[in-house]
Amino acid sequence: MTDLLAARWLFGTSLAFHIVFAAVGVAMPLFMVLAEWRWRRTGDEVHLELARQWAKGTAILFAVGAVSGTVISFELGLLWPRFMAFAGPVIGMPFSLEGFAFFAEAIFLGIYLYGWERVGPRLHLAAGALVALSGAVSAFFVTLANAWMNRPAGFSLLDGRAEDVRPFTAMFPPGWAHEVIHVLLSSYAATGFAVAAIHAFFLRRAPASAFHRAALGIALGVGGAAALLQPLSGDLSARQIAVTQPEKLAAAEAHFETSRGAPLQLGGLPDAEARTTRYGLRIPYGLSLLAFHDPHAEVKGLDAFPRDTWPDPLHVHLAFDAMVGLGTLLALVSLTGALLAWRARAVPTHRRYLLAVVACGPLGFLALEAGWLVTEWGRQPYTIREVMRTAEAVTPVGQLALPLFAFVLLYVFLGAMVGVLLWRQIAHAGGAAAAAPEVTP
């Protein structure tokens, strides 16, 4: 394994691990504050217990996310020093503001966890709302930095250096809005379905449990709404990428030749050398229609770009198909749940539907990871699109396979510990209302 490949694996593994906790940090605070809001409106003790249990779970996941996020901060400087030397003066502002949002989230989470009987009800609820807002704002700023890597702006390139830096132009590069919307919706959908799956599992075993019924209603309500909105966000992203990053769209759709009335490629295995895709299903005019809302529009293929700047179409296309397929499945399950809830005027608890929700539990995070791979693999061979190649950004330090092995072991250990802590938390959920100190709404 070359040092460049080891650096990519190490950073990719760290991000793949951290992205789960980052998404949970965006969505879980919203769930817990919605539960408390329901309790304060209705006086239902079930929602009080739910808010307390979800707050404890949020604290566990927030702590691990803080550790893994710190690792990534160090890795950015140690593995990619040339990238940071170039990009730091240009996109330092969104990174700094992301750090500010993170600290705000930590402060208000502390107030929320320890303020049940110590601060007023409005202040406590407001602290929970600010935790939820800070988590979303933190994701907003870090996604802006990634959007800049995909479409760098706000500087002039002079002799390999960034000159005439315009920070606000760099912070909001072309296409930033669709990427931010897509990331936030995917965080709510992935976390919502994961939490809903846990409570659907227990609800199948204890159908009369008001605790798991209430939890399912909030988690599935938020996650399902996000999953239904995600196809609209995906359509916006496809049309933006067709203009701002056409080579990424060409790789994602395994579209080798520039053409009008381009077909949509579903499935299949792209062969870059033969410039064809085997075993897939082609829908005539589908790609032109989706990318430009015009069945006869011209869509750039990979042949419009130099061969040594192509992303790997096999990797990008498979990840893209996985993201779209899983997202579509979650949207269908959400639509079914909405129809069942509308007919029953209550949280859907049909056993077969609960089984479908349980099966969908990990799919949101798999779709999230696949979407992240599309973004990152689709930008290769560049770290900063058309400015700095990944091979130019890596550290000259060698023997990177050793820290890769060590961090893989660390992440396995942390993942196992989180699993044990959350299982203990979940196993005791639903029966703690009687033991909890009395708190008035």
Side-chain angles (χ1 to χ4, degrees):
M1 177 180 286
T2 65
D3 287 327
L4 173 59
L5 187 58
R8 291 184 62 188
W9 266 102
L10 175 52
F11 196 61
T13 303
S14 297
L15 277 174
F17 184 80
H18 175 70
I19 200 170
V20 173
F21 298 95
V24 170
V26 170
M28 276 303 294
L30 178 61
F31 300 166
M32 73 181 189
V33 81
L34 285 175
E36 183 185 347
W37 175 72
R38 287 284 296 169
W39 167 61
R40 294 199 182 279
R41 284 202 63 184
T42 64
D44 184 354
E45 292 293 320
V46 166
H47 285 96
L48 171 60
E49 183 185 352
L50 189 55
R52 288 180 178 275
Q53 296 295 338
W54 276 348
K56 292 176 183 176
T58 299
I60 294 170
L61 296 166
F62 180 86
V64 178
V67 172
S68 58
T70 303
V71 170
I72 289 174
S73 299
F74 280 110
E75 287 182 350
L76 271 173
L78 295 174
L79 294 176
W80 314 105
R82 291 161 183 163
F83 163 75
M84 291 304 295
F86 181 91
V90 185
I91 55 168
M93 189 158 58
F95 276 126
S96 300
L97 292 173
E98 190 270 341
F100 175 80
F102 170 76
F103 283 119
E105 185 179 4
I107 291 168
F108 288 112
L109 181 59
I111 294 173
Y112 190 85
L113 288 172
Y114 297 101
W116 281 103
E117 295 86 24
R118 297 178 176 85
V119 300
R122 290 184 179 179
L123 178 58
H124 191 264
L125 189 62
L130 288 171
V131 175
L133 178 63
S134 301
V137 170
S138 180
F140 169 79
F141 283 120
V142 81
T143 305
L144 290 183
N146 185 266
W148 179 84
M149 294 166 66
N150 293 328
R151 196 72 166 83
F155 66 95
S156 300
L157 191 62
L158 181 64
D159 296 331
R161 302 188 310 275
E163 302 285 353
D164 185 27
V165 174
R166 301 174 296 281
F168 285 100
T169 304
M171 197 161 83
F172 298 102
W176 67 270
H178 78 81
E179 191 168 339
V180 167
I181 293 171
H182 210 62
V183 166
L184 290 176
L185 286 177
S186 62
S187 297
Y188 292 120
T191 308
F193 266 92
V195 174
I198 293 170
H199 293 286
F201 173 81
F202 285 103
L203 198 55
R204 278 175 56 84
R205 298 173 62 177
S209 171
F211 175 83
H212 293 299
R213 190 185 298 265
L216 182 68
I218 293 176
L220 194 57
V222 175
L228 287 172
L229 290 173
Q230 196 65 300
L232 301 177
S233 167
D235 176 68
L236 174 63
S237 294
R239 286 186 285 130
Q240 287 281 333
I241 292 172
V243 176
T244 59
Q245 303 172 71
E247 73 282 6
K248 179 179 288 185
L249 180 70
E253 297 288 359
H255 183 55
F256 288 99
E257 296 183 4
T258 302
S259 60
R260 293 186 175 277
L264 181 67
Q265 183 74 48
L266 298 180
L269 299 174
D271 184 338
E273 298 307 318
R275 302 194 176 197
T276 187
T277 302
R278 299 184 175 86
Y279 315 120
L281 174 65
R282 293 161 69 91
I283 301 176
Y285 306 102
L287 182 55
S288 291
L289 187 62
L290 287 177
F292 295 98
H293 288 186
D294 176 0
H296 302 289
E298 180 181 277
V299 181
K300 286 186 177 179
L302 286 170
D303 65 345
F305 306 93
R307 180 65 182 86
D308 67 342
T309 64
W310 287 14
D312 185 332
L314 177 62
H315 290 164
V316 181
H317 180 64
L318 292 179
F320 182 75
D321 276 0
M323 176 189 69
V324 174
L326 294 172
T328 302
L329 180 59
L330 293 181
L332 290 174
V333 172
S334 301
L335 182 61
T336 303
L339 292 174
L340 291 173
W342 176 71
R343 291 182 60 183
R345 297 292 191 272
V347 177
T349 54
H350 192 284
R351 286 185 61 80
R352 289 183 180 177
Y353 182 72
L354 293 179
L355 182 61
V357 174
V358 172
C360 286
L363 302 189
F365 281 108
L366 291 177
L368 182 65
E369 298 279 10
W372 166 66
L373 289 175
V374 171
T375 297
E376 298 305 306
W377 282 344
R379 194 180 58 245
Q380 298 303 316
Y382 294 101
T383 290
I384 307 171
R385 181 174 178 266
E386 296 182 346
V387 174
M388 178 181 288
R389 289 178 179 254
T390 306
E392 299 168 343
V394 73
T395 176
V397 175
Q399 305 296 324
L400 295 177
L402 291 176
L404 169 61
F405 180 70
F407 272 98
V408 168
L409 290 179
L410 174 64
Y411 293 139
V412 170
F413 171 76
L414 282 175
M417 291 301 297
V418 169
V420 170
L421 290 173
L422 288 181
W423 177 252
R424 290 181 177 178
Q425 186 71 27
I426 294 167
H428 289 90
E438 184 176 348
V439 181
T440 54

